[in-house]
């Protein structure tokens, strides 16, 4: 479970007269449990592809599939993390994580225990009763990842999640993410413009070019994991 397929997707924006093709004929695959990155210059269509897999956008042509089923909207089977933190500032760290579980109708005890398990994995348990404003950028983004994983999705979609962090924090976050990916056996689709980050994290890297956005290369990174 957790297979993502993008099949021959093209995306155009704008109406008559000023229609521009943002993405042209892109196909890619994330096999269950794989960590796949997409890199490329600004404007090559990375976010557009991620938004399609997240179910926030519909392609002009082609399709995105999750485990063989056409994606037709957002769902709790896909966790999403963006560069900006998007935590609820009026909720504690744990309440932020519990939010999606509450929406699923999970009882208070089950929510709390699920949230605490995941917070523990991310080293955030000492901060469960803090508010987002009391945390550093890296910690907030850690909460964002935990919140995206709260509903036990098989798939984690990340759009430049560490782009706003300093390089030292970024390294720490990459290690935490690798650890969570391994423990939870997630399929990850990860967007970055940092080739070093892509190589460190991924088992496969797709390289895109812009105007229109296309896949230029598909690079396997067959290094064994520690
Ligand atoms: P990336 O994430 O690689 O920077 P995006 O997917 O954000 O690229 O954008 C791809 C192209 O599509 C860019 O040229 C961008 O300007 C254009 N684009 C993205 N979203 C919209 C939109 N809502 N309306 C018009 N053009 C858009
Ligand atoms: P940055 O401040 O560069 O974003 P991190 O998010 O990685 O760095 O935080 C570095 C460390 O500082 C954390 O692992 C944690 O131990 C500590 N820390 C961060 N925020 C707080 C806080 N609000 N209270 C106590 N310790 C914190």
């Amino acid at each position: 479970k957790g297979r993502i397929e993008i099949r021959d997707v093209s995306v155009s924006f704008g109406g008559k007269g000023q229609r521009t093709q943002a993405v042209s004929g892109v196909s890619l695959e994330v096999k269950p449990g794989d960590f796949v990155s997409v890199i490329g210059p600004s404007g090559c269509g990375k976010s557009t592809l991620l938004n399609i897999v997240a179910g926030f956008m519909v392609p002009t042509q082609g399709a995105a599939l999750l485990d063989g089923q056409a994606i037709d909207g957002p769902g709790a089977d896909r966790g999403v993390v963006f560069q900006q933190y998007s935590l609820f500032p009026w909720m504690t760290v744990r309440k932020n994580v519990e939010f999606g579980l509450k929406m699923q109708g999970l009882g208070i005890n089950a929510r709390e225990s699920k949230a605490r398990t995941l917070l523990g994995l991310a080293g955030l348990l000492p901060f469960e009763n803090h508010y987002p404003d009391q945390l550093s950028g890296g910690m907030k983004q850690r909460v964002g990842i935990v919140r995206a994983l709260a509903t036990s999705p098989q798939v984690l979609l990340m759009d430049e999640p560490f782009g706003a962090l300093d390089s030292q924090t970024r390294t720490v976050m990459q290690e935490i993410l690798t650890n969570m990916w391994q423990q939870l056996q997630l399929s990850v689709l990860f967007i970055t413009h940092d080739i070093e980050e892509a190589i460190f994290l991924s088992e496969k890297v797709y390289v895109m070019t812009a105007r229109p956005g296309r896949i230029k290369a598909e690079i396997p990174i067959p290094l064994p994991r520690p």
Side-chain angles (χ1 to χ4, degrees):
K1 294 275 271 175
R3 178 186 306 276
I4 303 165
E5 288 164 276
I6 293 179
R7 285 197 192 151
D8 202 19
V9 158
S10 297
V11 179
S12 302
F13 290 107
K16 275 198 194 104
Q18 43 190 359
R19 205 158 168 75
T20 55
Q21 190 163 29
V23 173
S24 175
V26 167
S27 296
L28 65 78
E29 185 181 13
V30 183
K31 295 201 170 78
D34 258 16
F35 199 122
V36 171
S37 290
V38 179
I39 64 164
S42 180
C44 72
K46 303 183 294 296
S47 295
T48 300
L49 292 177
L50 186 124
N51 280 314
I52 289 168
V53 177
F56 300 145
M57 260 182 73
V58 177
T60 314
Q61 278 174 56
L65 297 95
L66 178 60
D67 294 320
Q69 300 271 64
I71 290 166
D72 67 351
D77 52 4
R78 282 151 288 150
V80 188
V81 180
F82 294 103
Q83 179 170 337
Q84 70 285 6
Y85 312 116
S86 66
L87 300 174
F88 301 121
W90 61 89
M91 289 185 193
T92 63
V93 164
R94 180 155 54 74
K95 293 295 176 191
N96 264 283
V97 174
E98 286 181 24
F99 184 77
L101 298 170
K102 198 170 179 179
M103 300 312 290
Q104 287 189 326
L106 216 66
I108 186 160
N109 290 329
R111 288 205 303 270
E112 194 171 316
S113 114
K114 185 84 190 282
R116 299 187 94 241
T117 302
L118 283 171
L119 287 168
L121 267 183
L124 286 170
L125 216 39
F127 305 98
E128 62 174 337
N129 295 317
H130 283 55
Y131 286 87
D133 282 355
Q134 298 174 283
L135 303 178
S136 67
M139 304 264 291
K140 275 188 266 201
Q141 201 57 320
R142 250 192 264 179
V143 179
I145 296 170
V146 169
R147 191 178 60 171
L149 295 174
T151 56
S152 306
Q154 255 117 27
V155 164
L156 181 60
L157 308 172
M158 309 183 88
D159 191 347
E160 297 273 3
F162 310 143
L165 306 176
D166 62 83
S167 68
Q168 210 181 334
T169 305
R170 216 171 155 127
T171 305
V172 172
M173 294 299 292
Q174 289 167 354
E175 276 156 17
I176 290 169
L177 176 60
T178 300
N179 190 33
M180 295 190 84
W181 165 64
Q182 286 172 334
Q183 301 237 9
L184 301 172
Q185 304 188 328
L186 301 164
S187 308
V188 182
L189 182 60
F190 188 93
I191 284 172
T192 180
H193 59 257
D194 182 345
I195 179 82
E196 233 183 297
E197 179 167 79
I199 290 170
F200 175 76
L201 290 170
S202 318
E203 299 173 294
K204 182 163 73 178
V205 179
Y206 287 96
V207 182
M208 293 185 72
T209 52
R211 277 179 288 279
R214 294 181 197 276
I215 305 273
K216 174 135 193 210
E218 180 186 332
I219 306 167
I221 320 264
L223 284 176
R225 293 268 159 192

